[in-house]
Amino acid sequence: MGGEPEQKIWLLNFEKSYPYVRVRQWLETGEIEVSAADQVVIELAEEVDVTALKPALDALGLRIRNFNRKEGIAVVSVIDRKLDAVPRTIEALQAWSTLFVSVRADEIQFREKL
């Protein structure tokens, strides 16, 4: 079989800093990825200001949730709340790829308690 390895995906609601979470598990390895289910992170290309994203975001019905001009990072909403919203949003933004270095899921890092 070709294509992407089999995986399970869950969308979960929490009451903490990431209220809407996407959990993806690859069945072959058991590896798990946890990310925000309702936003993606865009690393802007050098010399591109966050305001240059407006036409792309408007065309897709997305909005900026947060940005850091100094770091060249924008956190942007996703297309909808469906299971595949994060990858579809990343794919849809590729039409404006000259504006950014990368667009990716907003992965959640877990820290061990001391």
Side-chain angles (χ1 to χ4, degrees), residues 6 8 22-23 28 36-37 52 56 69 75 77 79 85 90 94-96 99 102-103 110:
E6 285 190 56
K8 290 182 182 179
R22 183 176 193 259
V23 178
E28 186 175 310
R69 276 194 169 93
V75 177
S77 64
I79 291 173
I90 291 170
Q94 296 307 311
W96 292 274
L99 299 175
S102 68
V103 59
F110 294 97

Side-chain angles (χ1 to χ4, degrees), residues 8-97:
K8 290 182 182 179
I9 299 174
W10 297 270
L11 297 180
L12 307 171
N13 288 324
F14 290 99
E15 295 178 2
K16 299 294 179 187
S17 60
Y18 283 94
Y20 198 51
V21 176
R22 183 176 193 259
V23 178
R24 179 165 58 164
Q25 179 184 31
W26 284 265
L27 298 182
E28 186 175 310
T29 64
E31 181 183 349
I32 292 178
E33 173 189 272
V34 181
S35 62
D38 57 352
Q39 62 191 35
V40 295
V41 177
I42 299 174
E43 181 183 349
L44 298 170
E46 194 171 328
E47 305 298 323
V48 172
D49 187 72
V50 69
T51 57
L53 288 175
K54 186 168 176 25
L57 300 180
D58 287 349
L60 297 171
L62 307 178
R63 63 184 176 80
I64 293 176
R65 292 188 162 182
N66 197 350
F67 63 90
N68 182 325
R69 276 194 169 93
K70 184 177 178 184
E71 299 293 325
I73 301 289
V75 177
V76 176
S77 64
V78 293
I79 291 173
D80 54 39
R81 292 193 129 200
K82 294 181 181 175
L83 201 58
D84 61 346
V86 169
R88 283 189 301 111
T89 302
I90 291 170
E91 184 179 328
L93 284 166
Q94 296 307 311
W96 292 274
S97 63

